[in-house]
Amino acid sequence: MLTYNYMVVDSPTAPVDRLFHALADATRRDILRRSLRGEFSVSALASNFDMSFAAVQKHVAVLEKAELVTKRAHGREQRVRANVATLHAATELLQEFEVLWRERLDRFDEVLNEEKGKKL
Amino acid sequence: MTVTSVHHDPDALTLSIRAEFDEPVAAVWDLWNDPRKLERWWGPPTWPATFVRHELAPGGEISYFMTGPDGDTSHGWWKVLVVEPPHHLEFHNGLANESGAPLADTPFMLMNVDLREEPPHHTTMDVVTIFPSVLAMEKFLGMGMAEGMAGALSQIDDLL
């Protein structure tokens, strides 16, 4: 099972809003997708975007705090890769949520039909 | 009703689900707007929901609990961010303590609901759930929901 550093993510100094913020940004999602395909230095990642190295580095730091990527020293540079364990766990859990919502929508439909029946 | 599309985005921790109903949008909206109707579908049959507070207005608070087969309760809250009846609803959904107060430092989900009536008497409902973390998903699934699913399936078997 996934190990998750609860304190880093959810301590009062790192409010949940920051996590929404981490995933709500298109550049960060793009960085995450690229780092699923391989391990890249921040400068290699930065070459894909029309923004400064520092800006990309900040985006990577936000993803790292959410444990969506990890950084590893490679010689003098830091390389970034997606945290596959987090994404794996996410995929499985999303499937469970899909079942939950399909069932919820079945009940939703039943209530809708019962209410329609009352009006007829 | 048909679920017409489901989209999972694990990088963005997002689940999008679309359902279509042969009903006018007002009837579909009413199932979110009326707490007595909402509680008939929100919780699974083995963990029915009771909404004790329901203020569907911007900044409004919604408080509910779900009761399990052994009488255990699981409490939750919504904080309404945006309401545009009968088309749009956006809220945070989190876990609460027994008095209904949001649990401090605990993750919550962002829910986005969009309804469109096109053509007349045909409503498309999009429900998008955005999770802050994998941990949050695990916590929510732990909220009596996994057990509830098994219960719902056995109820369907009974009907067949």
Side-chain angles (χ1 to χ4, degrees), chain B residues 24 32 44 49 58 60 73 80 96 126 128 130 132 135 139-141 151-153 157:
Chain B
W32 293 92
T73 55
V80 179
D126 285 316
V128 178
I130 304 166
L135 181 75
K139 286 201 164 204
F140 276 95
L141 284 170
L153 290 173
D157 280 347

Side-chain angles (χ1 to χ4, degrees), chain A residues 3-120:
Chain A
T3 53
Y4 208 85
N5 189 336
Y6 188 80
M7 288 316 289
V8 169
V9 176
D10 293 304
S11 70
T13 53
V16 151
D17 285 343
R18 224 147 88 185
L19 287 157
F20 281 124
H21 176 69
L23 293 159
D25 184 274
T27 304
R28 285 196 285 274
R29 288 200 300 269
D30 198 358
I31 293 172
L32 190 55
R33 283 190 194 107
R34 287 170 191 278
S35 44
L36 270 170
R37 286 181 224 129
E39 210 176 36
F40 300 102
S41 64
V42 177
S43 45
L45 287 169
S47 68
N48 298 298
F49 301 100
D50 188 18
M51 60 178 77
S52 68
F53 173 83
V56 172
Q57 199 168 31
K58 272 187 192 163
H59 282 310
V60 170
V62 174
L63 289 169
E64 196 183 7
K65 271 195 183 126
E67 296 199 1
L68 288 163
V69 300
T70 52
K71 271 203 274 189
R72 192 170 71 87
H74 187 267
R76 283 188 305 162
E77 61 182 20
Q78 292 272 317
R79 290 200 174 169
V80 178
R81 78 183 314 163
N83 187 344
V84 178
T86 304
L87 289 171
H88 243 308
T91 306
E92 281 176 20
L93 290 166
L94 284 170
Q95 273 156 3
E96 289 185 51
F97 268 95
E98 177 185 336
V99 173
L100 184 149
W101 267 99
R102 281 182 181 275
E103 293 183 359
R104 216 173 236 178
L105 289 168
D106 284 343
R107 295 191 296 272
F108 192 101
D109 194 46
E110 275 172 37
V111 176
L112 210 51
N113 286 328
E114 283 163 19
E115 291 303 313
K116 192 182 189 177
K118 283 181 193 172
K119 281 178 198 148
L120 292 176

